[in-house]
Amino acid sequence: MKLSNNSFPYPVLSASDSLSFENEFVFGDSFSVDVSQEQVGQSDFELVIQYKLKNDDLQKMINDGTALVLAHLESSLTSYRKAISFPENKDTLRLSVDAESVTKNIELTVLVVARIDIPEYTNSGFNSELFGEDYVVKKIMRGDILAFEPTVEIELQMEDSAPKSVQTFIKVSKSKNTSMNVNLDDESILIEIPEAAYKIYAQMQNAKEVKIANFSLLIPALMIAVDDIKDEGSTNDDYLWYKELSMYIFESLTYSVSTLENTSSLVVAQQLLNNPIIPAFEVFNEVDER
């Protein structure tokens, strides 16, 4: 999520460290973010995200529930995308990140958004020299951005011994087709699913639902990838996914070229995901026991 003040037709507060006529808000008003991280175990991280808001009107809107602060995290090479709101009346969010769901780098954008429709939005911090006195923004809609910190890229400080997850090289995207397709012609394995299915997939928050969905998508995609690695005529050997999967198959799973050729791609795909079929079906038992 790459944003700039030019992205909006109305004044939006952001970081500002200089006095300029072009600033949309008066000098001294700003919105900024500090981020620190701590590794918890081998593959989990905790990000500590703290925002600093210098604008009385926006702070009042957050306090009374008219606006809220969101942290948006995204991994560009995977399907990982998450938006989490800050706790009520708190300027700090502690967020757990499973490094196996992302690549080493993750993009963070922190936003202040409208929580309700606002027919007329005014702010005493608007730059009157730029917008004139008593400037009013008409029809701010629920979810519209009122302030943001420009996207920062966070490099997760992974221990060298931490294994790289297969899922970091797989990305799920929407397609206008009515069936699933797997595209290997890129740095990551791209799983394309129909728009209607993608809409449901993108809104999944429950970890159990995600586990079942990922199982149904990743197994066939990895089977196709393994078939490609078996193919001596493959032209994909320069891609990141090909190099990493090949290394894992031949080194960690200790396959040779001949044993890989004689092993079902379905079996190898399951091994790449640490044999997920039993955990996936155990989810149904957990649902039945409610």
Side-chain angles (χ1 to χ4, degrees):
M1 176 182 286
K2 301 290 186 180
L3 298 174
S4 69
N5 289 88
N6 294 330
S7 304
F8 308 98
Y10 55 88
V12 174
L13 184 64
S14 188
S16 176
D17 55 8
S18 63
L19 177 61
S20 171
F21 173 77
E22 298 297 327
N23 288 344
E24 295 181 337
F25 281 75
V26 297
F27 180 68
D29 281 18
S30 64
F31 182 71
S32 59
V33 174
D34 289 328
V35 184
S36 61
Q37 63 175 285
E38 177 182 347
Q39 185 161 354
V40 182
Q42 192 177 40
S43 62
D44 291 335
F45 285 82
E46 183 175 71
L47 296 180
V48 181
I49 308 167
Q50 182 179 33
Y51 74 85
K52 296 179 181 179
L53 174 61
K54 296 180 180 179
N55 180 273
D56 292 342
D57 291 12
L58 282 177
Q59 187 61 64
K60 181 177 182 299
M61 292 171 68
I62 293 170
N63 293 344
D64 66 20
T66 305
L68 58 86
V69 185
L70 289 175
H72 181 276
L73 292 121
E74 184 171 344
S75 179
S76 59
L77 282 180
T78 72
S79 58
Y80 181 88
R81 185 177 290 107
K82 181 177 290 189
I84 304 293
S85 58
F86 277 65
E88 188 174 352
N89 298 321
K90 301 290 184 181
D91 63 2
T92 301
L93 172 66
R94 306 183 74 92
L95 180 62
S96 295
V97 177
D98 181 359
E100 294 188 352
S101 301
V102 301
T103 54
K104 191 174 183 179
N105 294 337
I106 189 170
E107 295 178 349
L108 168 69
T109 309
V110 180
L111 316 159
V112 179
V113 302
R115 198 169 188 173
I116 60 174
D117 293 345
I118 304 173
E120 295 186 342
Y121 169 47
T122 61
N123 193 302
S124 60
F126 287 160
N127 185 349
S128 60
E129 294 186 13
L130 191 61
F131 299 105
E133 298 290 342
D134 302 321
Y135 181 71
V136 178
V137 180
K138 300 289 187 180
K139 295 183 180 179
I140 291 291
M141 306 298 291
R142 180 176 182 268
D144 280 352
I145 297 172
L146 305 176
F148 72 96
E149 164 78 352
T151 300
V152 295
E153 187 172 276
I154 302 169
E155 182 177 351
L156 298 179
Q157 303 299 320
M158 300 180 183
E159 296 178 359
D160 291 340
S161 60
K164 195 170 284 187
S165 169
V166 168
Q167 293 185 46
T168 62
F169 311 109
I170 300 177
K171 185 176 182 179
V172 180
S173 70
K174 60 184 175 183
S175 166
K176 294 188 179 299
N177 295 326
T178 57
S179 57
M180 173 179 151
N181 184 54
V182 178
N183 186 353
L184 303 179
D185 299 329
D186 206 337
E187 295 297 325
S188 57
I189 298 170
L190 181 62
I191 303 175
E192 300 169 329
I193 59 177
E195 289 184 357
Y198 182 84
K199 183 177 181 180
I200 298 171
Y201 178 81
Q203 292 176 345
M204 286 182 176
Q205 298 292 328
N206 186 296
K208 297 172 184 176
E209 295 174 344
V210 173
K211 184 183 294 185
I212 296 172
N214 281 343
F215 175 75
S216 63
L217 295 174
L218 298 182
I219 289 293
L222 286 172
M223 288 176 63
I224 294 172
V226 172
D227 282 340
D228 191 86
I229 291 173
K230 289 180 179 182
D231 183 3
E232 294 181 358
S234 172
T235 58
N236 294 320
D237 54 345
D238 284 335
Y239 291 128
L240 179 63
W241 71 262
Y242 189 102
K243 294 176 181 178
E244 294 292 342
L245 283 186
S246 295
M247 183 182 302
Y248 189 80
I249 289 171
F250 293 122
E251 295 184 7
S252 298
L253 297 181
T254 67
Y255 276 96
S256 66
V257 173
S258 60
T259 56
L260 179 64
E261 181 64 32
N262 294 317
T263 303
S264 165
S265 294
L266 174 59
V267 171
V268 179
Q270 292 176 81
Q271 292 172 336
L272 288 169
L273 294 173
N274 196 26
N275 296 314
I277 188 167
I278 294 177
F281 274 86
E282 285 176 344
V283 170
F284 292 106
N285 281 337
E286 294 171 6
V287 172
D288 290 341
E289 291 171 0
R290 290 178 185 176

